[in-house]
Amino acid sequence: MTETKPLVVITGASSGFGAEDAKLFNTAGFPLLLLGRRLEKIQALPLDFTNVMTAAVDVTDQAALKTAIQAAEAKYGATDLLINNAGVMLLGNVQRQDPKEWQTMLDTNVMGVLNGTQIVLPAMVARKHGTIINMSSIAGFKAFANHAAYVASKFGVHGLSETIRQEVSSDNVRVSLVAPGAGETELLTHVTDAGALKDYEAWKQTMGGLTLDPKYVAQTVKFIYDMPQEVNVREIDLAATRQDS
Ligand code: NDP
């Protein structure tokens, strides 16, 4: 008889790190709920969709997020792993950047993580089992020019992760975070400040023009999850070897 694996929920599964997470957990046989606003991109991923549910959900809409998670749980049972991965990085100098871009980052990167966490955490605490892995960034503990609001959002992810980790540790629930350096994803494609983008691209050249391959971020997430429940790898930061900061 084959072992039934528990439900893994991944936000921001349509590209980048989240898409790699989806591939890795799919290959490993976990039932998945894959979320993102661009449903067509999720549905085009090279996956075995037998045990995959998808939904077009904006993580800033907690009600929609809850509806999608409840539908997946009705089919696959309780969420055992939530990967709060959805995020945006809109580079810009704080003296000129449109405050709407700050709001988008704070709403997505901080409120999105809190929204997902609040939906799955009470049942994890009740079951005394479960894992939440938040995608932060090296910008979650270090400053980078032209990243003020993004840094604020990712410092926020570090802070809330450590707080919630303490709150639920006695309930055997793990809260962990992964803090990658620059990676080859779609993250930069939403930047509207041409100067900030040019500086970032120049910085990438100091790494030989190639940053972290998302597959290694996914492997890191999986490593954290695969540890026995009694072990919480609280935080891993990783970057391309040639990244200097
Ligand atoms: P991508 O832009 O490739 O992926 C971002 C994902 O987040 C997409 O699937 C996107 O889906 C989703 N997303 C964005 N906004 C929302 C929203 N409001 N609701 C739901 N989903 C949303 O970038 P990455 O893979 O790089 O980013 C993943 C995470 O990794 C982010 O949290 C990012 O901050 C973090 N990170 C990235 C680094 C990098 O250099 N790439 C470095 C360090 C951390 P859709 O647009 O379909 O909604």
Side-chain angles (χ1 to χ4, degrees):
M1 208 174 95
T2 52
E3 182 204 355
T4 309
K5 297 199 168 165
L7 174 65
V8 174
V9 177
I10 304 172
T11 69
S14 55
S15 65
F17 299 154
E20 287 304 317
D21 292 340
K23 288 183 212 164
L24 198 56
F25 281 93
N26 184 248
T27 303
F30 287 85
L32 299 179
L33 171 63
L34 303 180
L35 303 168
R37 293 163 304 174
R38 295 168 301 168
L39 194 56
E40 67 291 350
K41 284 203 57 135
I42 299 176
Q43 289 169 344
L45 291 174
L47 304 177
D48 172 358
F49 279 90
T50 312
N51 282 319
V52 175
M53 283 177 75
T54 62
V57 167
D58 185 324
V59 292
T60 66
D61 180 347
Q62 199 191 33
L65 189 54
K66 191 171 187 175
T67 301
I69 291 175
Q70 284 177 339
E73 291 187 335
K75 188 163 180 197
Y76 299 121
T79 305
D80 196 52
L81 171 62
L82 168 65
I83 306 173
N84 276 316
N85 165 78
V88 277
M89 180 177 78
L90 305 169
L91 300 177
N93 187 287
V94 79
Q95 297 180 64
R96 295 179 295 275
Q97 190 168 24
D98 185 340
K100 286 198 190 100
E101 292 200 340
W102 308 337
Q103 194 69 58
T104 300
M105 283 186 274
L106 292 165
D107 285 348
T108 311
N109 301 357
V110 180
M111 293 299 289
V113 170
L114 288 168
N115 283 340
T117 300
Q118 191 178 53
I119 293 164
V120 300
L121 197 55
M124 288 181 174
V125 166
R127 287 189 302 124
K128 304 275 181 268
H129 206 279
T131 303
I132 298 174
I133 300 178
N134 295 328
M135 290 307 303
S136 188
S137 168
I138 290 182
F141 57 90
K142 281 183 70 167
F144 292 86
N146 292 330
H147 285 63
Y150 184 72
V151 163
S153 75
K154 293 300 187 181
F155 268 64
V157 174
H158 271 251
L160 71 87
S161 299
E162 177 58 13
T163 303
I164 301 166
R165 185 196 65 72
Q166 288 181 24
E167 288 170 358
V168 299
S169 59
S170 63
D171 294 304
N172 199 39
V173 174
R174 302 183 296 188
V175 178
S176 174
L177 68 78
V178 176
E184 293 298 320
T185 68
E186 294 184 12
L187 199 66
L188 285 173
T189 61
H190 310 290
V191 176
T192 58
D193 182 326
L197 195 56
K198 195 164 155 263
D199 289 350
Y200 196 95
E201 293 294 349
W203 176 58
K204 261 183 76 171
Q205 288 313 311
T206 67
M207 300 175 225
L210 197 63
T211 56
L212 202 54
D213 185 323
K215 73 181 179 197
Y216 299 116
V217 175
Q219 285 174 23
T220 303
V221 169
K222 184 121 186 331
F223 165 76
I224 291 171
Y225 182 63
D226 285 345
M227 279 286 150
Q229 187 72 25
E230 69 194 72
V231 178
N232 186 3
V233 180
R234 296 181 181 183
E235 177 177 337
I236 293 182
D237 61 278
L238 73 157
T241 304
R242 288 176 189 272
Q243 179 170 333
D244 62 351
S245 49

